[in-house]
Amino acid sequence: MHHKSIRQLSQHLQQKDISSVELTQHFLQRIQQHNPQLNCFVTVTEQQALAQAKAADAAIAAGTASALTGIPMSHKDIFCTHGVKTSCGSKMLDNFIAPYDAHVVAKMNHQAGMVMLGKTNMDEFAMGSSSETSYYGVVKNPWDLETVPGGSSGGSASAVAARLTPMATGTDTGGSIRQPAAFCGLTGLKPTYGVVSRFGMVAFASSLDQGGPMTRSAEDAALMLNAMAGFDPRDSTCLNREVEDYTVNLNQSLAGLKIGLPKQYFNADLDSGMAQKLEAATNLLISLGASVHEVDLANTHLSVPVYYVVAPAECSSNLSRFDGVRYGYRCDKPVDLTDLYKRSRGEGFGAEVKRRIMMGTYALSAGYYDAYYLKAQQLRQLISDDFKQAFTQVDVILSPTAPSTAFKMGEKTHDPVTMYLSDIYTIAVNLAGLPALALPAGFINQMPVGMQLIGNYFSESRLLNIAHRYQQQTDWHVQMPAGFA
Ligand code: GLN
């Protein structure tokens, strides 16, 4: 059952070949068997899952079910789940039981009737590229247990890749859906900023954060995005657009598709093995009717520096709410208010989170604001303008998702800048608010290689279409890590 696509699972449920309770038990059993090795779940919500599955079976029997009713799924532990611990991978929120559901959770688990299996592990407050900064320990990549699954949505990626859950939510502030998708051989979509509500998603950098699907295939991602996207008045940046069905264009022809290859990405710095895989993928798309053009993203080299001013600035403000008073961790026996703040935050946050808060506070402080934050916002505009210009020439931009395949655990933990550079291909997309999709494009030394497709605003459906046509011709996305059959 864990080899089936979401559409297949849906058909089995509708035809009553299997019940949602049986399906849920199957995945819970797989989690029990493999999670000790992978550490991809922080919380498994077994009782709740079985109750949701029972309700789903009743809806299916009554004929009131939707296509996704009864299908198991998992949430990154950044999404608030009513009555269930929502830790964000931090000691700060280790004792936090969310009093409400995130919009995405309400839509998927209540409206669509999907079954939540549990909450997945992640880098603390979504800051990281390797899922090594979690309070709950490092997450492992099922393709090679000595390597990282990527981050920050590494728990979701590891769980989907090992087939412990048919799909999982992720969030992407600078690459956290796409880079772990690449490292684990998955399809991951970061939607246009504002397509998915951020209500109830613990905020990291509000102008960049966006939730999205992490699945095995583009078709699965389209089905999942259908359940996630949609207007929510509780998020002031959520867009009030007509609801789309992301599956309708999946089979559209690629004839006439114009693909842009940024000259700044395809240069001597690109790993030669990676370059070969991307060339093969591009050739396949050409054989399906696409043409290839060079595009110029002249300011793309500024993305990482700009991001590491904007994101920490926003996080320093967002994380000020964790003060030992309102939520989460409180230090033992504070002597006065200052001591309470200092020790609660000092003891509750991990090193990477503190580093970001310090950088952000510095960049926003009087006298430095113009030099750093304002300057970064100006450069952010130039980065966006490059894409705007490129999309007058091409429909989609193709690039690597990450500079390499999954790296070894511990390899970059002592050098934050090297870690930050693992997002050089993904970060510009968040700064511009564009949609982008990562999908598997082969293997190097048995480790998955990720290709990224970046589209213009609201082109999710086109990106999914290109990925789906590619996946009909390739089998990278159906291959499984040995040991998790
Ligand atoms: N790796 C980047 C960071 O550490 C992006 C994280 C994310 O997208 N949440 O900030």
Side-chain angles (χ1 to χ4, degrees):
M1 272 298 151
H2 51 278
H3 299 287
K4 308 251 183 217
S5 70
I6 295 177
R7 200 184 283 287
Q8 287 168 331
L9 290 177
S10 173
Q11 277 159 1
H12 285 302
L13 286 169
Q14 304 297 327
Q15 290 161 3
K16 307 194 181 61
D17 304 333
I18 190 165
S19 69
S20 174
V21 168
E22 286 165 331
L23 198 55
T24 302
Q25 277 165 340
H26 176 75
F27 282 102
L28 287 170
Q29 189 271 325
R30 285 187 65 77
I31 294 172
Q32 201 177 22
Q33 185 184 350
H34 296 293
N35 190 49
Q37 212 175 2
L38 297 170
N39 197 29
C40 50
F41 281 89
V42 172
T43 305
V44 181
T45 47
E46 190 170 341
Q47 294 314 317
Q48 189 175 331
L50 290 169
Q52 282 176 347
K54 244 187 181 165
D57 283 330
I60 294 167
T64 56
S66 74
L68 295 176
T69 304
I71 299 182
M73 56 84 56
S74 307
H75 283 295
K76 183 177 182 180
D77 208 14
I78 196 168
F79 287 97
C80 284
T81 40
H82 188 198
V84 175
K85 176 161 110 171
T86 300
S87 74
C88 227
S90 183
K91 178 178 176 184
M92 184 57 92
L93 290 177
D94 181 45
N95 62 3
F96 178 64
I97 309 290
Y100 62 91
D101 279 323
H103 184 70
V104 162
V105 174
K107 274 183 78 80
M108 299 183 84
N109 305 103
H110 300 299
Q111 230 164 293
M114 303 179 78
V115 173
M116 179 175 87
L117 298 169
K119 309 286 299 285
T120 62
N121 205 350
M122 54 182 283
D123 277 304
E124 186 179 7
F125 284 103
M127 297 169 196
S129 306
S130 63
S131 298
E132 292 173 294
T133 71
S134 170
Y135 176 59
Y136 303 96
V138 301
V139 183
K140 294 183 180 159
N141 186 328
W143 290 95
D144 173 355
L145 298 175
E146 300 197 335
T147 66
V148 303
S152 64
S153 314
S156 287
S158 169
V160 177
R163 312 306 194 238
L164 309 189
T165 180
M167 65 187 116
T169 50
T171 61
D172 193 312
T173 303
S176 281
I177 288 177
R178 291 161 287 156
Q179 185 255 20
F183 281 11
C184 293
L186 302 178
T187 304
L189 175 65
K190 182 249 167 224
T192 305
Y193 182 75
V195 162
V196 171
S197 168
R198 291 181 294 109
F199 178 80
M201 208 174 94
V202 178
F204 164 11
S206 308
S207 75
L208 303 161
D209 297 342
Q210 190 61 199
M214 299 183 76
T215 55
R216 279 144 47 188
S217 68
E219 185 188 45
D220 283 2
L223 284 162
M224 187 169 164
L225 186 60
N226 278 351
M228 292 182 84
F231 178 58
D232 172 17
R234 295 171 300 182
D235 169 3
S236 62
T237 58
C238 190
L239 299 161
N240 195 351
R241 311 174 62 242
E242 217 172 295
V243 178
E244 266 184 71
D245 177 353
Y246 294 99
T247 63
V248 292
N249 293 327
L250 285 174
N251 288 308
Q252 203 177 300
S253 155
L254 300 189
L257 175 76
K258 288 190 188 149
I259 299 177
L261 301 179
K263 63 177 180 198
Q264 288 80 4
Y265 293 171
F266 291 90
N267 58 22
D269 293 341
L270 179 62
D271 173 85
S272 64
M274 190 73 76
Q276 267 174 21
K277 300 292 165 195
L278 293 176
E279 193 183 331
T282 310
N283 287 336
L284 202 159
L285 293 171
I286 293 172
S287 75
L288 297 174
S291 59
V292 168
H293 310 264
E294 186 179 90
V295 291
D296 189 8
L297 299 177
N299 294 293
T300 196
H301 64 288
L302 298 170
S303 306
V304 172
V306 166
Y307 175 89
Y308 279 97
V309 172
V310 174
E314 293 183 15
C315 105
S316 71
S317 164
N318 276 325
L319 270 57
S320 65
R321 74 192 67 185
F322 303 107
D323 55 7
V325 178
R326 288 174 286 188
Y327 320 77
Y329 180 77
R330 175 178 295 173
C331 68
D332 204 24
K333 299 195 184 70
V335 294
D336 57 24
L337 188 61
T338 308
D339 184 45
L340 168 80
Y341 288 156
K342 270 196 184 161
R343 280 202 293 123
S344 298
R345 288 169 68 80
E347 293 163 17
F349 290 136
E352 185 59 31
V353 173
K354 287 180 196 163
R355 180 164 23 242
R356 306 280 178 113
I357 292 174
M358 286 192 286
M359 286 196 286
T361 308
Y362 180 81
L364 289 178
S365 51
Y368 296 112
Y369 178 90
D370 288 357
Y372 295 106
Y373 190 70
L374 192 66
K375 194 83 193 158
Q377 291 292 17
Q378 288 162 343
L379 295 175
R380 184 175 181 177
Q381 189 59 50
L382 296 180
I383 292 165
S384 283
D385 290 347
D386 284 349
F387 282 112
K388 206 173 182 180
Q389 173 63 27
F391 287 125
T392 62
Q393 297 155 14
V394 297
D395 304 308
V396 64
I397 293 172
L398 188 151
S399 82
T401 305
S404 66
T405 57
F407 46 85
K408 291 262 183 276
M409 255 180 289
E411 191 180 311
K412 300 188 196 252
T413 38
H414 301 295
D415 184 356
V417 174
T418 314
M419 185 73 91
Y420 297 167
L421 289 174
S422 57
D423 298 315
I424 44 171
Y425 299 114
T426 49
I427 273 178
V429 164
N430 300 72
L431 291 168
L434 293 166
L437 186 144
L439 73 161
F443 292 85
I444 295 177
N445 299 328
Q446 279 99 53
M447 293 305 284
V449 170
M451 148 164 95
Q452 176 175 232
L453 299 171
I454 306 170
N456 209 345
Y457 301 105
F458 309 116
S459 64
E460 285 79 1
S461 162
R462 186 62 162 155
L463 296 178
L464 289 160
N465 158 233
I466 301 166
H468 181 63
R469 294 301 297 241
Y470 178 80
Q471 289 180 339
Q472 286 176 322
Q473 308 289 324
T474 54
D475 69 351
W476 316 121
H477 65 293
V478 292
Q479 297 196 27
M480 285 208 37
F484 296 89

